[in-house]
């Protein structure tokens, strides 16, 4: 798993499964009065550690550049073999060109990797099925439309509300959750009620309510009171924005603050849900909106009654910390995933008893699992695979996607059933539900995420921004992905 660099400034630990989502976690550092080391020796050690960090960052950056070139050559060869013209993303060289020996090394690696691939024939589809062609990863096929600036720390999750007017919600390690206007990219509301990292955000299906889970061991429900006429971008003073790969000091953070005089600040919740003894890593509304479920590092998930805030069920069985939870869009069912390499399907359709099924299809932490609108479950893992399961027969996956990097919180398009897979290596790849690769979002030194991508979320197909991504680099992007039926 890639190691998140620049620990000294961020103070975050990129732990497998935990992902540094407790905002109060940092490296323990002994004070000078407690240390028995001479000052000269302590100074020398810190200097050596700084040199090691700088050297490691250089090697890490070089490795990422080489990996991008391997991906470029891989996509180019796949395009040639399939008879398609290489996309603009594949044909555009990086600004930092390697020397000739590096080029030969990259090509050799790509060639060795491709010779080991088994070319999988495209699956035939019936005449009653809708076939979607992804029109490339560059140009008009997929492009950044909106950049949502304002968070001062990593953004763990993005979510899109439903209704006549949609809003974007973001949850961040800076202990805030924000609601944004999709059309303008303006921050409309900032929730400041949590005392720890905000790890999850979900919208109620019919009511103006938002659910957030936090490192402070609580989940909050708060009202999303949004003005009818949000401020337009032309009314906000434009400020310069440094590259998302740069470090920010205090003054830069102020400049990146996306708040304006019209931003609403909410500092208290309508109700607070307690009962967990550790970080709440995820929370979601059950179908109907009368109940909700939370997932925690204390190895349990809780089912709450929204009206009374009482715990209806405590769901036990996972052997290690939970990483994610997701509910079915129309049935009272939920899936919880865990670092114990399993995910569990919980069925609450019978109010007198709840059933549970355990699935052991991965060899490393299961980072997320999500329902699709056609009764399938898609799971992603740190073992670098994504698997598609049929709810009617979940003994074996019906499709498996192998990737080159650990998978974070994926999302499935409710209309086209396209899986947006965020990776630790800064990429977001798109696959259909059968496991066929459609492409990846454009990534270069000047656009896209500069650190691991933490989560993705789909909006309506016809929206100007129909896909959103967030990352450890504090950036949130709105993308327009074009699909064409054939």
């Amino acid at each position: 798993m890639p190691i998140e660099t620049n620990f000294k400034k961020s103070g975050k630990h990129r732990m497998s499964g935990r992902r540094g989502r407790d905002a109060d976690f940092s490296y323990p550092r002994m004070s000078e009065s407690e240390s028995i080391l001479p000052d000269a020796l302590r100074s020398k050690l810190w200097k050596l550690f700084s040199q090691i960090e700088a050297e490691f960052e250089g090697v890490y950056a070089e490795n990422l550049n080489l990996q991008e070139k391997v991906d470029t050559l891989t996509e180019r060869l796949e395009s040639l073999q399939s008879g398609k013209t290489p996309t603009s993303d594949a044909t555009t060289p990086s600004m930092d060109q390697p020397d000739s020996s590096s080029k030969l090394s990259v090509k050799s690696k790509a060639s060795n990797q491709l010779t080991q691939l088994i070319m999988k024939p495209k699956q035939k589809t019936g005449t009653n099925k809708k076939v979607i062609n992804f029109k490339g990863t560059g140009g008009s096929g997929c492009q950044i439309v909106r950049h949502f600036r304002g968070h001062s720390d990593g953004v763990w999750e993005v979510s899109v509300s439903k209704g006549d007017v949609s809003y974007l919600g973001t949850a961040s390690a800076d202990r805030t959750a924000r609601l944004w206007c999709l059309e303008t990219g303006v921050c409309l509301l900032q929730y400041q009620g949590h005392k720890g990292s905000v790890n999850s955000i979900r919208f109620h299906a019919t009511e103006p309510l938002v659910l957030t889970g936090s490192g402070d061991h609580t989940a909050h429900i708060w009202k999303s009171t949004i003005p009818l006429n949000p401020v337009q971008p032309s009314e906000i003073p434009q400020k310069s924005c440094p590259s998302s790969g740069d470090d920010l000091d205090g003054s830069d953070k102020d400049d990146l603050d996306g708040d304006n005089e019209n931003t609403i600040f909410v500092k208290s919740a309508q109700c607070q849900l307690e009962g967990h003894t550790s970080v709440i890593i995820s929370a979601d509304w059950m179908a109907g909106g009368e109940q909700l479920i939370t997932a925690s590092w204390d190895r349990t998930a809780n089912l709450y009654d929204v009206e009374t805030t009482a715990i209806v069920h405590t769901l036990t069985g996972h052997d290690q910390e939970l990483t994610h939870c997701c509910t079915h869009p129309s049935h009272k069912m939920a899936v919880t995933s865990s670092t114990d390499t399993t995910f569990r399907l919980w069925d609450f359709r019978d109010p007198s008893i709840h059933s549970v099924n355990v699935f052991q299809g991965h060899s490393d932490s299961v980072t997320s699992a999500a329902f699709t609108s056609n009764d399938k479950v898609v799971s992603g893992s740190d073992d670098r695979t994504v698997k598609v399961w049929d709810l009617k027969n979940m003994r074996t996956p019906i499709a498996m996607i192998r990737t080159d990097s650990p998978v974070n919180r994926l999302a499935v398009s409710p209309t086209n059933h396209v899986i947006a897979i965020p990776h630790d290596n800064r990429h977001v790849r798109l696959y259909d539900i059968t496991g066929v690769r459609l492409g990846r979002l454009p990534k270069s030194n000047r656009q896209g995420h500069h650190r691991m991508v933490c989560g993705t979320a789909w909006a309506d197909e016809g929206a100007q921004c129909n896909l959103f991504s967030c990352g450890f680099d504090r950036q949130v992007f709105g993308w327009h992905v074009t699909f064409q039926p054939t």
Side-chain angles (χ1 to χ4, degrees):
M1 177 179 296
I3 301 174
E4 190 61 46
T5 58
N6 197 29
F7 288 136
K8 185 166 65 174
K9 198 145 192 171
S10 67
K12 298 292 185 297
H13 188 10
R14 177 70 165 86
M15 297 183 295
S16 175
R18 300 199 171 206
R19 302 184 180 275
R21 291 184 179 173
D22 184 356
D24 298 326
F25 180 88
S26 60
Y27 283 111
R29 183 174 177 178
M30 186 178 297
S31 65
E32 296 183 3
S33 60
E34 295 174 342
S35 176
I36 61 174
L37 297 177
D39 292 341
L41 181 58
R42 283 171 55 84
S43 177
K44 184 177 181 180
L45 285 174
W46 280 111
K47 183 177 180 180
L48 289 174
F49 289 150
S50 299
Q51 293 175 353
I52 292 172
E53 180 183 13
E55 182 69 20
F56 179 81
E57 285 186 353
V59 175
Y60 185 72
E62 182 181 357
N63 178 62
L64 290 176
N65 288 332
L66 290 175
Q67 183 61 52
E68 284 191 6
K69 293 175 176 60
V70 171
D71 291 340
T72 298
L73 292 172
T74 301
E75 290 187 354
R76 186 181 300 175
L77 184 55
E78 288 178 351
S79 299
L80 292 174
Q81 290 177 341
S82 61
K84 297 180 180 179
T85 303
T87 63
S88 59
D89 182 55
T91 58
T92 303
S94 171
M95 295 189 64
D96 298 322
Q97 296 292 343
D99 57 21
S100 58
S101 61
S102 298
K103 289 182 180 179
L104 292 174
S105 176
V106 171
K107 291 182 179 179
S108 176
K109 291 179 181 179
S111 176
N112 293 336
Q113 180 182 7
L114 289 173
T115 55
Q116 298 176 4
L117 293 177
I118 300 176
M119 299 305 295
K120 184 178 179 181
K122 293 184 178 180
Q123 299 186 7
K124 296 182 179 180
T125 58
T127 56
N128 61 337
K129 294 184 178 180
K130 186 178 181 182
V131 181
I132 304 296
N133 281 340
F134 180 70
K135 296 170 60 178
T137 57
S140 61
C142 182
Q143 57 186 343
I144 294 178
V145 178
R146 196 81 64 231
H147 190 179
F148 302 86
R149 298 181 176 93
H151 283 295
S152 59
D153 209 332
V155 184
W156 301 124
E157 188 168 274
V158 285
S159 182
V160 181
S161 67
K162 300 177 182 179
D164 297 335
V165 180
S166 296
Y167 302 102
L168 178 69
T170 55
S172 172
D174 64 10
R175 303 188 180 189
T176 70
R178 296 182 181 228
L179 303 187
W180 309 80
C181 177
L182 297 182
E183 300 298 325
T184 65
V186 172
C187 179
L188 303 175
L189 185 148
Q190 183 179 151
Y191 180 69
Q192 302 176 334
H194 283 292
K195 298 179 181 179
S197 168
V198 185
N199 303 322
S200 175
I201 182 169
R202 307 288 170 85
F203 291 92
H204 193 282
T206 58
E207 301 292 333
L209 298 174
V210 182
L211 170 65
T212 50
S214 172
D216 61 13
H217 306 182
T218 67
H220 292 182
I221 298 175
W222 42 278
K223 286 188 176 182
S224 55
T225 306
I226 303 295
L228 295 178
N229 297 313
V231 66
Q232 298 299 316
S234 58
E235 303 174 27
I236 305 174
Q238 297 298 316
K239 300 178 181 180
S240 61
C241 176
S243 168
S244 57
D246 298 335
D247 294 318
L248 304 176
D249 58 22
S251 60
D252 288 333
K253 290 181 180 179
D254 293 338
D255 289 341
L256 280 180
D257 193 353
D259 304 326
N260 56 82
E261 61 182 8
N262 298 90
T263 300
I264 300 172
F265 292 88
V266 179
K267 298 186 178 181
S268 60
Q270 179 173 305
C271 65
Q272 182 170 310
L273 306 171
E274 300 178 342
H276 285 291
T277 59
S278 188
V279 170
I280 294 181
I281 199 65
S282 184
D284 200 2
W285 301 93
M286 296 293 291
E290 297 177 352
Q291 295 178 328
L292 61 87
I293 188 172
T294 57
S296 172
W297 285 0
D298 63 13
R299 307 184 183 184
T300 69
N302 285 343
L303 182 69
Y304 291 88
D305 181 272
V306 174
E307 183 177 358
T308 64
T309 69
I311 298 177
V312 179
H313 293 294
T314 296
L315 311 177
T316 60
H318 282 293
D319 295 330
Q320 296 180 28
E321 296 91 341
L322 275 64
T323 59
H324 189 251
C325 67
C326 181
T327 59
H328 192 280
S330 57
H331 300 299
K332 290 189 175 181
M333 298 165 47
V335 285
T336 56
S337 47
S338 170
T339 58
D340 64 8
T341 74
T342 72
F343 70 95
R344 294 177 177 239
L345 173 65
W346 308 85
D347 191 343
F348 303 100
R349 286 176 291 183
D350 185 349
S352 62
I353 188 173
H354 67 271
S355 61
V356 58
N357 294 291
V358 184
F359 302 95
Q360 300 176 331
H362 291 282
S363 59
D364 206 336
S365 300
V366 182
T367 53
S368 64
F371 289 98
T372 70
S373 58
N374 57 352
D375 287 339
K376 292 181 176 61
V377 174
V378 182
S379 59
S381 171
D382 278 342
D383 65 9
R384 305 185 179 188
T385 67
V386 173
K387 297 186 178 183
V388 183
W389 312 77
D390 192 332
L391 282 177
K392 298 177 182 178
N393 181 13
M394 295 189 66
R395 294 183 179 178
T396 57
I398 60 176
M400 181 172 67
I401 301 167
R402 296 186 183 276
T403 70
D404 60 353
S405 179
V407 176
N408 295 313
R409 293 186 175 180
L410 54 79
V412 185
S413 168
T415 306
N416 296 312
H417 302 139
V418 174
I419 311 169
I421 306 173
H423 290 289
D424 276 5
N425 66 359
R426 309 176 297 167
H427 289 296
V428 177
R429 291 184 170 85
L430 305 178
Y431 286 79
D432 70 14
I433 204 71
T434 65
V436 176
R437 178 174 175 173
L438 304 178
R440 65 180 171 90
L441 301 188
K443 176 71 189 73
S444 69
N445 292 334
R446 292 190 173 182
Q447 68 172 336
H449 290 283
H450 290 72
R451 294 189 179 180
M452 71 174 183
V453 188
C454 301
T456 54
W458 289 95
D460 293 336
E461 179 181 346
Q464 186 180 17
C465 296
N466 55 7
L467 177 62
F468 299 89
S469 63
C470 64
F472 195 77
D473 55 6
R474 305 179 289 273
Q475 306 302 310
V476 180
F477 294 110
W479 306 80
H480 181 75
V481 181
T482 303
F483 300 97
Q484 181 181 14
T486 59

